[in-house]
Amino acid sequence: MLTIATNLILRQDKFGKLPDGERLERIKKSPNYKDGAFQNIHHTPDLSEDANYYTVLKEFAFGDKSRVSPVDKIPSTKIDLFALDATENVLIWFGHSSYFMQLDGKTILVDPVFSGSASPFSFTVKAFNGTDAYTTDDIPEIDYLFISHDHWDHVDYETLLKLKPKIKNVFCGLGVGAHFEHWGFDLNKIHEEDWNTEIKLDDNFEVHVIPTRHFSGRGFKRNQALWASYVLKTPTMQIYIGGDSGYDTHFKETGDKFGVFDLVILENGQYDKSWKYIHMMPEEVLKAAKDLNAKRLFPVHSSKFALANHAWDEPLTKVSTLNQSLEKPFSLVTPIIGEKVEIQNSNQPFENWWKGLQ
């Protein structure tokens, strides 16, 4: 009965679909696909050498949860995205790894999650109070949707179905397109690529799909779809759209290849020393930003969902404190949810909004 129930659950549309047919044959030709799964550039254990699944599960189940989620409401503001001046180059953060950008006249959306949960079951991994200022109704037509990988806190079935009529192009790693095709997206709109692939777009925009160090999966079978980051070149700037990643050589290699980035967006949150190979610690976020020759650093992947045992405000507290101790601190972007970030204004001030909240 348990097996039958599990199979019925996994057959729900929200779990997506594993690659098959021509898509799977294409995947098998990828140099990053071996032994029936996608692989990281370097060996990447799920857990660090001094950890095991028993201790991790014990800590997750019985560890101190007093500040994993905030008691206070997360502050936010709201602007009308439909009313933006087309000449503005701005970013609006929605919490965790979801954000909107308008760059040189193009509208861009990254890993949107508006359903209120980062889980296949809506009663689990609930969004923090105050992080729901925006809904899919507040999102205008999107020229470019970027998907970093298919985990539930980055690919939200409910959100994507509602946004589908507004999305003109989807960029994702090999295999992720199987989910989108299964959900009725037009195949002609899906740019599903391997690492180290370049996509030339209109109006002098181009996208480079680049490596990251993580894993994927929406069910029990892992690494059937590729995780990725992106270099987005516009007529006037260069942006690093980072996916989830442990620290590795790919940051330096990307920096050496592409030069200076006007804005680098990196995950900083939901980390733990026990899984340090697949998520960065705050000090590694700054190291990666240096590798990438960042003018400005926007740390994301925090302040909306509790997916690790650290205090909810620890990622921003640590990265800000560590940044100030650097000989040459980065211009750090730390907006409240919904605040308009002026992408090319490195002197724009931001408050440490998390301070004093419980």
Side-chain angles (χ1 to χ4, degrees):
M1 290 294 293
L2 179 60
T3 301
I4 292 172
T6 300
N7 285 333
L8 288 174
I9 290 171
L10 292 176
R11 288 182 181 180
Q12 294 180 80
D13 279 347
K14 61 186 174 184
F15 283 88
K17 186 178 181 182
L18 294 175
D20 59 9
E22 292 182 6
R23 177 177 279 108
L24 181 57
E25 291 307 310
R26 182 187 174 198
I27 286 171
K28 288 179 178 178
K29 296 176 183 177
S30 168
N32 306 301
Y33 186 86
K34 299 174 184 176
D35 301 323
F38 282 105
Q39 309 289 335
N40 284 293
I41 295 173
H42 298 120
H43 177 58
T44 304
D46 293 339
L47 299 177
S48 57
E49 293 79 3
D50 55 351
N52 59 64
Y53 285 106
Y54 172 75
T55 57
V56 169
L57 289 173
K58 181 180 177 182
E59 183 180 3
F60 197 80
F62 303 109
D64 181 13
K65 303 289 185 182
S66 60
R67 298 200 70 251
V68 167
S69 297
V71 174
D72 296 330
K73 185 177 181 180
I74 297 291
S76 67
T77 188
K78 192 171 183 178
I79 63 171
D80 185 353
L81 301 181
F82 292 89
L84 287 173
D85 187 322
T87 64
E88 289 186 280
N89 291 322
V90 296
L91 180 151
I92 291 85
W93 181 52
F94 305 122
H96 201 63
S97 292
S98 303
Y99 49 94
F100 168 92
M101 292 187 287
Q102 183 175 270
L103 304 174
D104 292 334
K106 298 292 185 182
T107 53
I108 294 150
L109 191 61
V110 179
D111 289 354
V113 178
F114 295 115
S115 69
S117 173
S119 163
F121 309 107
S122 60
F123 56 88
T124 62
V125 196
K126 299 288 288 182
F128 299 158
N129 183 25
T131 62
D132 58 353
Y134 287 82
T135 72
T136 53
D137 292 336
D138 299 311
I139 306 301
E141 278 199 344
I142 297 298
D143 293 305
Y144 306 140
L145 170 67
F146 288 92
I147 298 295
S148 63
H149 62 297
D150 68 359
H151 283 158
W152 294 88
D153 56 325
H154 297 262
V155 169
D156 184 38
Y157 170 71
E158 181 181 318
T159 295
L160 291 169
L161 283 193
K162 291 178 179 178
L163 289 175
K164 183 165 60 173
K166 302 180 180 183
I167 295 170
K168 298 178 182 178
N169 293 278
V170 179
F171 298 92
C172 59
L174 283 178
V176 179
H179 302 313
F180 281 83
E181 183 179 4
H182 183 62
W183 296 333
F185 280 74
D186 185 347
L187 268 177
N188 293 320
K189 296 181 178 181
I190 302 172
H191 304 268
E192 182 182 359
E193 299 295 341
D194 204 349
W195 289 339
N196 302 311
T197 300
E198 178 182 349
I199 307 164
K200 295 283 189 181
L201 302 171
D202 55 348
D203 300 326
N204 294 316
F205 279 71
E206 61 184 66
V207 173
H208 297 259
V209 186
I210 56 175
T212 185
R213 192 183 196 187
H214 199 52
F215 67 107
S216 67
R218 295 177 71 78
F220 292 126
K221 197 169 185 180
R222 295 174 58 164
N223 298 349
Q224 301 304 296
L226 188 61
W227 46 100
S229 292
Y230 303 91
V231 172
L232 174 61
K233 292 188 174 185
T234 83
T236 65
M237 69 192 84
Q238 180 168 262
I239 309 291
Y240 182 88
I241 300 174
D244 287 4
S245 181
Y247 184 78
D248 205 355
T249 59
H250 61 281
F251 292 115
K252 184 67 164 60
E253 290 164 1
T254 300
D256 289 344
K257 180 176 180 179
F258 292 97
V260 174
F261 283 90
D262 297 282
L263 177 66
V264 161
I265 305 163
L266 294 172
E267 64 124 318
N268 171 57
Q270 319 321 309
Y271 51 74
D272 191 286
K273 63 184 185 303
S274 294
W275 58 80
K276 63 182 181 180
Y277 294 111
I278 52 176
H279 285 290
M280 287 188 286
M281 307 297 281
E283 57 271 21
E284 292 176 315
V285 175
L286 296 171
K287 189 176 180 181
K290 182 178 180 181
D291 289 347
L292 290 164
N293 310 306
K295 287 184 179 179
R296 304 184 78 191
L297 167 61
F298 178 27
V300 297
H301 212 248
S302 72
S303 308
K304 188 167 185 173
F305 301 113
L307 299 170
N309 278 332
H310 58 65
W312 73 269
D313 56 348
E314 181 185 293
L316 288 173
T317 298
K318 281 195 169 182
V319 78
S320 298
T321 301
L322 290 167
N323 185 55
Q324 288 304 312
S325 69
L326 296 177
E327 183 178 348
K328 293 183 178 180
F330 293 100
S331 172
L332 205 61
V333 177
T334 56
I336 63 171
I337 289 173
E339 182 178 359
K340 186 190 291 188
V341 176
E342 301 164 8
I343 292 179
Q344 292 172 302
N345 179 9
S346 59
N347 295 317
Q348 182 181 3
F350 296 99
E351 296 182 3
N352 292 339
W353 59 263
W354 55 93
K355 287 189 174 181
L357 295 180
Q358 300 301 312

